[in-house]
Amino acid sequence: MPHASALASWLVVLQLALPGTGAAGLHSDMAKPKAASIEPYLFDDGQSALRTVTFGAYDPHDLLQNSDQSSIEHVFLYWQAVDEPMLAAKMHLAQMKGRTLMVTVEPYTKAANWRDGGDHLFTDIRNGEFDRQIATVCGAVASYPGASWVRWGHEMERPSGRYPWARGGAPGYIAAYRYFVDACRKIAPRTRFVWSPKGERELTEYYPGDAYVDFVGVSVWGLEKQDRQRYGRPRGFAETFGEKYRRVEKFGKPIIIAELGMAGRKSYRQAWMSAISALSPGRGPFPLLTCAVYFNDREPYHWPDGYGSPDWRMTASDLAP
């Protein structure tokens, strides 16, 4: 059974996201097996003992701005076109609520179509052609007085046409990732870095080394329609996440679910929520898991195979008796 207090806290977060309830509107070059441990593990605020998995959210419509349960404020930045007003507002909100700021930096190109030029993106980065963008992003993060995490070039291990940095060429990606982290650390020395693959089999090729990774993040999506078509039945959280967890636990780093979403029937979503809320860092089937960051929005990208753009947002029916 889930821990009642953990589940209640998570449901409070979700309830505040419902229409009408919120406000308007850690150096090695190669990966190697390690003992699974998060000790000694410290959050930036000095917490060393976590009873339950911590929750946060990507919340572009500020539906969780009044929540005292969401402890991570996640924002996405296009580094070549930083939305400075949005970032300033989110940083202010995160500071007021005492939240960790997690910034996902999306390193698009400078082409008119941001996806063009991916074949020389990594070379351009190492040649200093994006130093101004690095300075802008990391300078902003450095100004945040609370804990901050930067997640650069996520979901890189399987090319899909969506991201110019997800194009194969693991050595190039690793060199560019290291270049970014080295430069950003000089500007924002308190910031921690999240290396965040999708969680596919190819991910080990892209690991940049222990010195460049404080957290390993993965993306976890529960889409009931896809489960039924692929597996003939709905899959639970532990089964879906377990495949990805086994691929990244060997790095021995704290693991976060950097993007979490679920879409399907009420019973499907509630089963996932209950399973996650029952977890505790350092114990159970996923001892390295420390936090989950919910993607509280509609999917901005059309999934292949006719799944469209899943809606990950919570609705009132999720909390109805």
Side-chain angles (χ1 to χ4, degrees):
M1 296 292 293
H3 298 303
S5 60
L7 181 56
S9 295
W10 183 222
L11 293 180
V12 167
V13 172
L14 299 179
Q15 188 171 24
L16 287 169
L18 304 182
T21 61
L26 291 181
H27 170 42
S28 66
D29 295 333
M30 300 298 292
K32 51 186 178 292
K34 300 173 184 177
S37 175
I38 60 171
E39 297 296 342
Y41 173 68
L42 295 174
F43 267 124
D44 292 317
D45 62 3
Q47 291 179 313
S48 59
L50 301 176
R51 290 192 293 266
T52 61
V53 169
T54 300
F55 287 99
Y58 165 65
D59 184 42
H61 308 296
D62 290 331
L63 297 175
L64 299 179
Q65 62 179 345
N66 292 330
S67 171
D68 291 324
Q69 304 299 326
S70 180
S71 61
I72 301 167
E73 190 73 36
H74 184 193
V75 299
F76 287 81
L77 292 183
Y78 308 135
W79 73 349
Q80 86 289 10
V82 175
D83 186 339
E84 295 185 4
M86 179 278 294
L87 179 60
K90 285 294 188 179
M91 290 172 65
H92 177 72
L93 173 60
Q95 182 178 356
M96 293 294 293
K97 302 300 293 186
R99 296 172 180 168
T100 293
L101 177 71
M102 184 168 85
V103 178
T104 290
V105 181
E106 300 190 293
Y108 284 102
T109 71
K110 297 178 181 179
N113 180 339
W114 297 350
R115 294 182 175 88
D116 292 343
D119 55 331
H120 51 83
L121 174 62
F122 299 149
T123 300
D124 290 345
I125 292 171
R126 298 196 311 272
N127 287 341
E129 296 186 24
F130 287 87
D131 284 0
R132 183 175 63 82
Q133 285 73 23
I134 295 173
T136 297
V137 170
C138 297
V141 172
S143 71
Y144 183 65
S148 60
W149 304 347
V150 171
R151 176 179 178 244
W152 185 91
H154 64 300
E155 300 184 1
M156 78 302 292
E157 77 269 32
R158 182 169 292 183
S160 66
R162 181 176 184 179
Y163 302 130
W165 61 88
R167 55 179 306 101
Y173 173 86
I174 289 173
Y177 178 98
R178 290 177 173 180
Y179 184 95
F180 172 83
V181 172
D182 284 337
C184 198
R185 278 177 170 161
K186 294 176 182 178
I187 301 168
R190 293 187 299 106
T191 293
R192 295 189 177 189
F193 295 90
V194 182
W195 174 71
S196 191
K198 291 181 69 174
E200 307 294 343
R201 293 183 179 90
E202 303 90 344
L203 64 84
T204 300
E205 301 172 24
Y206 293 81
Y207 187 65
D210 292 349
Y212 292 89
V213 178
D214 296 306
F215 304 91
V216 172
V218 294
S219 303
V220 182
W221 308 103
L223 184 58
E224 185 178 14
K225 182 179 180 180
Q226 184 183 64
D227 285 355
R228 291 186 178 277
Q229 292 182 354
R230 285 189 177 183
Y231 307 104
R233 57 179 175 78
R235 299 213 305 173
F237 166 78
E239 184 177 3
T240 300
F241 175 58
E243 294 177 351
K244 300 189 176 194
Y245 182 88
R246 303 309 169 203
R247 294 170 185 153
V248 296
E249 65 176 338
K250 60 188 173 185
F251 301 119
K253 298 287 184 174
I255 294 170
I256 71 174
I257 299 177
E259 296 183 38
L260 170 69
M262 59 203 75
R265 294 176 303 170
K266 172 185 172 182
S267 59
Y268 177 84
R269 297 192 301 271
Q270 288 188 332
W272 272 58
M273 287 190 292
S274 295
I276 299 169
S277 297
L279 298 174
S280 298
R283 298 191 294 274
F286 310 118
L288 291 174
L289 179 63
T290 62
C291 65
V293 183
Y294 199 81
F295 191 95
N296 198 39
D297 200 9
R298 182 182 293 276
E299 172 62 52
Y301 186 74
H302 276 73
W303 282 29
D305 303 323
Y307 295 113
S309 297
D311 191 346
W312 310 114
R313 296 172 297 181
M314 294 295 168
T315 65
S317 64
D318 293 308
L319 299 181

